[in-house]
Amino acid sequence: MQIDEEQLKKFILESKLVSHDDLDEAVKKAQAKKQKFGDILLSDGKISEIDLRKTEAFVLGIPFINLANQKIEISVLSLIPEPIARNHNIIAYKKSEMGLEVAMLDVDDIPATDFIKKRSGLKILPRLTDTASIKSALVQYRKSLQAEFDNIIQKENASLKTIAKEDAGGSGEKSEEELKEMAEDLPVVKIVDSLIFHAILQNASDIHIEPGELELTVRYRIDGILHDAMILDKSAAPGITARIKVLSNLKLDEKRLPQDGRFKIDQNGEKISFRVSTLPTYFGEKTVIRILKENSHGLSLETIGFHGEGLERIHESLKQKIGMILATGPTGSGKTTTLYTMLDILNRPEVNISTIEDPIEYQMPRVNQTQVKPEIGMTFANGLRTLLRQDPDIIMVGEIRDRETAGLAVNAALTGHLVLSTIHTNSAAGAIPRLIDMGVEPFLLVSTVKTIIAQRLVRKLTASREKYFLSGAELKNLGKLIDLDRVLALLKAENIIGVKDEWEKVPFYKPQKDNDSPDGYSGRIGIHEVLKITASIKEMIIRGSSQDEIEMEAKKEGMSTMLEDGILKAVEGLTSLEEVLRVVSE
């Protein structure tokens, strides 16, 4: 079903949606880029998507459909699997004697329509729609799947209670064979599969399964914040724990000691790794599952939140052949993602990259990754010592956490290697006294450390955010935390606001709840400070200057603090001021 381009041009001009000049320019661009001229008009903002799609539908002689506020029956919606719907922008929304009506953005997508025809056995009636309609329908998948999972869990939970009653007369402690049998019981398998699939669907980073006195609580960490997902009967705990232990090859009958394991699944072509940790608590074993999407590579420093002077400083330090680049911050602040993104930039055929990690979070091609195993003597220090005999050019040490690892990492940076690592401190300047506490001599520190990055993760606002301006009292309170003149100058330097704008004209944004997001946030982005070890800072380290003095000098030399970077992102509408203050105060 091809769109007649000449007819489309004619109708666009007749409808006066676009001027002759703009249309001619779009046609020239389309020919040069080998794209459709309608897509060029859309990307250049010359026509709205809804006007373009309605005109295309008119030329094709098919209806245009708006699904924005339309409730679709789950039986019809699920005729197209969610991954196909998302990847091909195609939604089944109505079934009748005539056939199956599907809304799509590209009516030329023949493979997708053929697939749906074979799957449903119905005649496909294509309809044109817009992106907003597709997005609103995709949200309905999540809601209906959530309801479906809740039903499974409630139903299977009932059968678990029955099993528990049958076992009530037993001795209490189960043998390994009994636990294995319980782990392979159908209700337990279904519940664990549902919990995992549900977590992936909601983009959770962790699943917490916590036994209490009377119930089993399941919580998901979404965008850094824990949310109650569901509460199950206490009787479900042994079976669920046993099932997770089977998946991750842990000892089923070991309940007194903590255990660590991992397993992997392939879902819709996406490889997902799960890191499992069990811990004995008063009411039973608590299990935490960390979810790691293996194909999360392809990130750039810009997409994770770096910009301006800080971005330039990192690119400059990555051009060095020797020295050390450190990422600092608390657990869960995105340090590892930053290191992997830098490794991705450095990963070229002519260099040998080796890592020593605990654990290996993402697998990277052409990178030699080694897992720490302290129980057999494979510590960061021992692993790093061996890595240095493997002729590496670039070394990534998962974490510097003791004197020996710090000393070896510094020596590796001195002897012709580029070393990337993480360290637990609250600020970039705080990494310097931390390394000195670990026994690194100040003169060695200034010879090796090139750049220190400190970071936190803030939740991103959805598109339905609400714009507002700070009152005089709010500005006065903000002025107690930051230098208002300095931040205003930074906003102007990065062209976020106009050259003549004052604080009264600087916009901020509040979260607005919508169908897609119950709290107005979706996803996270980093706020950073990037400390470059300049000649003046080297002198201060040798003199034994304090962390605060080093930070003041770094700010004079152009470093934005995490709080300042967060405020820049709040003004851009990426996050809210409240979210920045919450995260930085933590």
Side-chain angles (χ1 to χ4, degrees):
M1 196 182 284
Q2 288 272 328
I3 293 175
D4 187 321
E5 298 269 292
E6 290 306 316
Q7 258 197 305
L8 184 61
K9 283 181 206 171
K10 183 186 166 192
F11 281 119
I12 285 174
L13 288 171
E14 281 178 2
S15 310
K16 295 185 180 174
L17 294 168
V18 173
S19 69
H20 267 285
D21 291 345
D22 285 342
L23 186 64
D24 291 342
E25 195 183 325
V27 170
K28 282 176 194 168
K29 270 192 192 177
Q31 286 168 349
K33 292 184 178 180
K34 293 184 178 172
Q35 288 182 329
K36 293 177 181 176
F37 79 88
D39 293 340
I40 300 288
L41 285 172
L42 199 58
S43 61
D44 288 352
K46 302 294 182 189
I47 192 170
S48 72
E49 191 192 5
I50 202 156
D51 284 340
L52 176 65
R53 301 295 175 218
K54 279 182 176 176
T55 313
E56 286 178 343
F58 185 72
V59 170
L60 288 165
I62 61 171
F64 172 85
I65 187 80
N66 185 351
L67 299 174
N69 298 308
Q70 194 168 319
K71 179 83 179 74
I72 306 167
E73 283 182 35
I74 182 60
S75 57
V76 177
L77 188 70
S78 56
L79 287 169
I80 301 177
E82 198 252 1
I84 301 287
R86 190 176 292 279
N87 293 333
H88 291 268
N89 291 308
I90 184 165
I91 301 290
Y93 70 93
K94 190 177 178 185
K95 193 166 102 175
S96 65
E97 292 172 8
M98 304 279 290
L100 181 67
E101 292 186 41
V102 295
M104 52 206 303
L105 294 181
D106 180 10
V107 286
D108 294 339
D109 193 346
I110 293 160
T113 46
D114 282 351
F115 168 82
I116 299 156
K117 189 177 180 180
K118 282 175 192 167
R119 183 185 168 92
S120 64
L122 298 165
K123 184 185 176 185
I124 304 302
L125 307 169
R127 309 286 185 247
L128 260 181
T129 192
D130 61 338
T131 309
S133 286
I134 297 285
K135 278 185 179 172
S136 108
L138 289 171
V139 171
Q140 293 189 44
Y141 271 102
R142 183 178 294 182
K143 287 182 178 171
S144 46
L145 280 168
Q146 192 161 332
E148 195 182 312
F149 285 145
D150 289 346
N151 289 341
I152 289 173
I153 284 160
Q154 294 311 320
K155 185 179 161 190
E156 302 305 342
N157 201 21
S159 56
L160 278 173
K161 284 181 190 175
T162 314
I163 294 166
K165 279 174 188 171
E166 287 169 9
D167 289 347
S171 60
E173 282 299 316
K174 290 182 170 53
S175 69
E176 188 174 356
E177 280 305 309
E178 286 175 311
L179 285 166
K180 195 167 185 183
E181 201 175 304
M182 188 184 276
E184 285 163 5
D185 189 53
L186 195 60
V188 173
V189 172
K190 276 190 181 175
I191 284 183
V192 172
D193 286 353
S194 304
L195 292 177
I196 289 168
F197 193 58
H198 200 168
I200 295 165
L201 196 73
Q202 294 193 47
N203 285 321
S205 60
D206 302 84
I207 306 170
H208 289 241
I209 300 163
E210 302 166 339
E213 188 177 2
L214 303 169
E215 57 201 16
L216 182 72
T217 307
V218 179
R219 299 196 286 170
Y220 292 154
R221 188 177 292 281
I222 301 166
D223 295 337
I225 292 175
L226 278 169
H227 300 267
D228 278 4
M230 54 207 68
I231 291 169
L232 304 174
D233 194 82
K234 180 74 190 283
S235 57
I240 287 173
T241 306
R243 175 65 187 160
I244 294 164
K245 282 182 174 181
V246 164
L247 288 171
S248 42
N249 288 320
L250 300 179
K251 291 178 184 172
L252 285 172
D253 53 349
E254 180 55 86
K255 296 177 184 179
R256 298 164 304 161
L257 293 172
Q259 295 189 74
D260 292 304
R262 58 195 304 151
F263 64 96
K264 215 181 254 192
I265 65 167
D266 193 324
Q267 185 179 293
N268 304 318
E270 184 179 30
K271 286 194 174 74
I272 301 168
S273 283
F274 300 87
R275 206 169 75 218
V276 177
S277 169
T278 66
L279 178 75
T281 68
Y282 188 74
F283 293 113
E285 284 181 283
K286 177 186 172 182
T287 306
V288 176
I289 304 171
R290 166 65 58 90
I291 302 168
L292 302 160
K293 293 184 180 178
E294 287 194 3
N295 359 17
S296 295
H297 53 73
L299 288 171
S300 68
L301 291 169
E302 290 86 347
T303 56
I304 59 175
F306 289 98
H307 59 95
E309 179 71 21
L311 182 64
E312 292 300 318
R313 287 177 171 190
I314 294 171
H315 279 302
E316 199 179 300
S317 57
L318 291 176
K319 288 174 189 168
Q320 308 287 322
K321 300 288 182 203
I322 59 169
M324 192 185 288
I325 301 168
L326 293 172
T328 79
T331 303
S333 60
K335 301 186 298 294
T336 307
T337 302
T338 299
L339 287 191
Y340 275 111
T341 305
M342 291 194 281
L343 279 184
D344 207 24
I345 294 166
L346 294 165
N347 193 0
R348 300 184 305 274
E350 62 268 24
V351 293
N352 174 16
I353 302 176
S354 294
T355 75
I356 177 90
E357 304 171 59
D358 182 22
I360 295 168
E361 302 240 350
Y362 304 117
Q363 288 168 351
M364 293 189 79
R366 303 180 73 94
V367 174
N368 310 291
Q369 295 173 270
T370 306
Q371 168 82 44
V372 166
K373 284 183 182 165
E375 65 274 15
I376 56 166
M378 182 61 164
T379 60
F380 273 119
N382 289 341
L384 183 49
R385 213 176 264 113
T386 309
L387 278 192
L388 290 169
R389 298 188 209 111
Q390 292 272 316
D391 185 32
D393 299 298
I394 297 161
I395 298 167
M396 194 260 264
V397 182
E399 188 188 334
I400 294 174
R401 55 171 79 146
D402 56 46
R403 180 181 289 257
E404 195 179 1
T405 311
L408 285 163
V410 166
N411 281 328
L414 277 172
T415 54
H417 305 90
L418 182 63
V419 179
L420 278 66
S421 190
T422 71
I423 188 167
H424 281 276
T425 61
N426 289 328
S427 67
I432 294 161
R434 179 85 180 98
L435 285 167
I436 291 169
D437 283 348
M438 283 184 183
V440 178
E441 294 289 347
F443 72 90
L444 288 175
L445 199 116
V446 299
S447 306
T448 52
V449 180
K450 304 293 181 193
T451 307
I452 305 170
I453 302 156
Q455 65 182 73
R456 300 285 189 282
L457 292 174
V458 291
R459 291 178 295 163
K460 286 165 73 178
L461 288 167
T462 59
S464 59
R465 63 199 178 199
E466 182 193 335
K467 190 177 186 177
Y468 73 101
F469 297 89
L470 294 180
S471 66
E474 287 170 327
L475 265 175
K476 197 175 175 184
N477 286 333
L478 188 61
K480 292 173 187 174
L481 300 171
I482 57 160
D483 180 339
L484 290 174
D485 293 337
R486 175 181 154 83
V487 175
L488 195 67
L490 285 170
L491 288 165
K492 289 174 182 176
E494 295 226 8
N495 297 320
I496 296 169
I497 59 170
V499 182
K500 293 183 180 177
D501 285 351
E502 292 302 317
W503 274 110
E504 290 73 25
K505 288 186 178 178
V506 174
F508 285 90
Y509 299 84
K510 287 178 183 172
Q512 280 282 79
K513 295 176 184 178
D514 59 22
N515 292 336
D516 216 352
S517 173
D519 55 6
Y521 293 100
S522 179
R524 288 191 290 173
I525 194 166
I527 56 172
H528 309 91
E529 56 189 38
V530 182
L531 171 63
K532 184 181 177 184
I533 307 297
T534 59
S536 54
I537 288 173
K538 284 179 183 179
E539 281 177 28
M540 293 177 83
I541 294 168
I542 297 290
R543 283 203 311 268
S545 298
S546 72
Q547 178 182 327
D548 291 341
E549 287 170 334
I550 290 169
E551 192 169 294
M552 279 175 69
E553 180 59 31
K555 282 167 78 175
K556 282 180 196 168
E557 293 178 5
M559 181 185 88
S560 299
T561 64
M562 270 184 292
L563 181 54
E564 289 167 348
D565 188 38
I567 288 166
L568 261 64
K569 288 185 168 76
V571 174
E572 285 181 290
L574 292 170
T575 188
S576 66
L577 189 56
E578 292 75 16
E579 176 68 3
V580 172
L581 295 174
R582 177 188 73 82
V583 168
V584 175
S585 65
E586 281 177 359

